[in-house]
Amino acid sequence: MDTIGKNVIITLTGASHAESVGCEIRGIPAGVALDMDAIRFDIDRRSARSHSFATPRQEADEPVILSGVTGGVTDGGPIAVSFTNRAYDRSEYRPVARPSHADYCAWVKSGGREDISGGGKYSGRMTLPLVFAGSVCRQLLKARGIEVFSHVSFIGSVSDADFDPTMTEPPALDPFFPLADVTKRAEMEALLEKTRAEGDTLACGAECAALGLPVGIGEPLFGGVESTLSRYLFMIPGLRSVEFGELKTFGSEMNDQFTEGGRTMTNRSFGVNGGISNGMPLIFRCGFRPVPSIKKPQTGFDLVENKPVPLTIAGRHDTAILPRGLAAVEAAACAALLDLVMEYEKGYGE
Ligand SMILES: Cc1cc2nc3c(=O)[nH]c(=O)nc-3n(C[C@H](O)[C@H](O)[C@H](O)COP(=O)(O)O)c2cc1C
């Protein structure tokens, strides 16, 4: 399924080594003046060009708007955007499934018809059009006073500090390598460097927050904030876990006691109870697997010969999905939250 959303309906198209990747966004009202510089900035935050431990695959990532925006202003119709893929070489990939990639599953599922080169539609490149769509959604959230931001919570064995869960303002963050404790950056970069030199890759985690959400976002039962966010987030390749709230042993340690104006003194629920936003900062944490393309010798699966074969992955790969994946995490969060906010604005039970 390549489409998601009820009020803002997003469709992603293309594949890693296809002619292009792109998106179509329906439900953005007419008359929104899009800030293209802000969209380009989010695209740059995801781009390998902006990160030293990212894949050397260098793409221009230039959005070509095909419809829905006239003179920089939305016209109410579907916004269609395309990004041409240039820096790809199909000769890099034989029909051999790489360990822990989607190659084998996609090949079998499609009866051997899918172009799995570069990971096909399961590639991290599909987060480029997601970032475009999320950046558009971010602008509509900002107009409502809602800010979404994130930081790297860990890379390998090096952990950052946590966000203050009772914060009332976004903290100052470096957009390209955001950390709550900037002193951790050198240690993280040294570990990335060492791991890359060893031909290996690293697990990593992100913490993402939304400030300014009113009480009441999220629909009861299947449409809650956690389940909705998770559906968007799990589109991001390599994502393995999403958590809302800190699990403590005892209820007395976990409960958030009320204070003035319905706020709570602590925020161990991370801003959501019963699937509904409670007015405190909405926070979630997510964990990414180590990038599966490692340089060490492995055993792949020859999809034509139908047998295991020795495999050494050449090609160009990231050492960890973060920090560049943060742009995708925020994009998924912005798209999910705008969809929920628009539902909330229709009125409850309508
Ligand atoms: C921004 C981003 C960049 C990624 N870069 C790479 C990469 O360079 N090499 C790689 O093997 N996997 C990379 N991945 C992860 C794989 O796409 C992913 O692990 C794979 O498709 C299997 O999906 P799964 O881990 O969700 O099962 C990246 C993911 C993202 C979000």
Side-chain angles (χ1 to χ4, degrees), residues 222-268:
F222 298 115
V225 169
E226 302 104 310
S227 52
T228 303
L229 270 167
S230 299
R231 267 199 77 210
Y232 282 76
L233 285 162
F234 274 107
M235 167 275 165
I236 304 174
L239 188 79
R240 287 283 141 170
S241 64
V242 181
E243 63 177 25
F244 296 85
E246 284 183 31
L247 273 193
K248 304 278 185 191
T249 308
F250 296 107
S252 54
E253 296 175 297
M254 180 93 201
N255 291 356
D256 297 310
Q257 306 300 319
F258 281 104
T259 178
E260 302 303 317
R263 280 183 65 86
T264 50
M265 287 155 74
T266 52
N267 182 19
R268 293 174 190 131

Side-chain angles (χ1 to χ4, degrees), residues 172-189:
L173 294 167
D174 179 316
F176 292 96
F177 205 138
L179 291 167
D181 175 359
V182 291
T183 66
K184 298 288 180 177
R185 180 165 175 170
E187 216 180 321
M188 286 183 182
E189 287 185 336

Side-chain angles (χ1 to χ4, degrees), residues 5-232:
K6 183 174 175 195
N7 301 293
V8 180
I9 302 147
I10 296 170
T11 302
L12 302 182
T13 58
S16 172
H17 287 25
E19 290 300 313
S20 64
V21 294
C23 64
E24 187 188 85
I25 316 162
R26 292 174 182 263
I28 302 294
V32 178
L34 288 184
D35 180 345
M36 284 308 295
D37 289 340
I39 294 174
R40 282 207 180 81
F41 190 65
D42 277 336
I43 289 171
D44 282 350
R45 292 175 59 220
R46 197 211 72 96
S47 167
R49 279 176 280 119
S50 312
H51 299 280
S52 39
F53 297 96
T55 165
R57 175 176 176 174
Q58 301 281 311
E59 288 279 8
D61 290 350
E62 183 58 32
V64 178
I65 298 186
L66 305 172
S67 71
V69 183
T70 309
V73 180
T74 59
D75 63 19
I79 301 172
V81 181
S82 170
F83 297 85
T84 303
N85 290 329
R86 294 184 207 282
Y88 65 90
D89 175 5
R90 284 213 182 86
S91 69
E92 284 175 22
Y93 294 91
R94 320 182 263 144
V96 171
R98 299 160 300 167
S100 294
H101 273 278
D103 304 347
Y104 178 75
C105 315
W107 183 269
V108 173
K109 186 174 172 63
S110 68
R113 289 180 190 88
E114 182 133 357
D115 177 7
I116 58 169
S117 45
K121 66 169 88 76
Y122 304 91
S123 157
R125 182 140 182 87
M126 296 309 294
T127 59
L128 172 60
L130 175 76
V131 166
F132 185 99
S135 196
V136 170
C137 295
R138 188 198 291 281
Q139 294 185 22
L140 279 89
L141 289 172
K142 267 198 175 158
R144 291 162 166 85
I146 299 163
E147 296 278 348
V148 173
F149 49 92
S150 65
H151 71 110
V152 175
S153 58
F154 73 90
I155 292 184
S157 54
V158 186
S159 294
D160 188 13
D162 297 331
F163 278 149
D164 170 5
T166 61
M167 67 190 145
T168 50
E169 296 290 331
L173 294 167
D174 179 316
F176 292 96
F177 205 138
L179 291 167
D181 175 359
V182 291
T183 66
K184 298 288 180 177
R185 180 165 175 170
E187 216 180 321
M188 286 183 182
E189 287 185 336
L191 181 61
L192 283 163
E193 187 62 63
K194 178 173 173 289
T195 308
R196 179 164 66 179
E198 289 165 355
D200 218 332
T201 57
L202 286 162
C204 52
E207 188 179 46
C208 184
L211 289 191
L213 288 173
V215 180
I217 301 296
E219 301 303 306
L221 306 177
F222 298 115
V225 169
E226 302 104 310
S227 52
T228 303
L229 270 167
S230 299
R231 267 199 77 210
Y232 282 76

Side-chain angles (χ1 to χ4, degrees), residues 100-101 122 124 127 236-238 240 289 291-293 317-318 321 324:
S100 294
H101 273 278
Y122 304 91
T127 59
I236 304 174
R240 287 283 141 170
R289 55 157 298 136
V291 167
S293 293
H317 298 283
D318 296 305
I321 290 172
R324 59 186 289 238

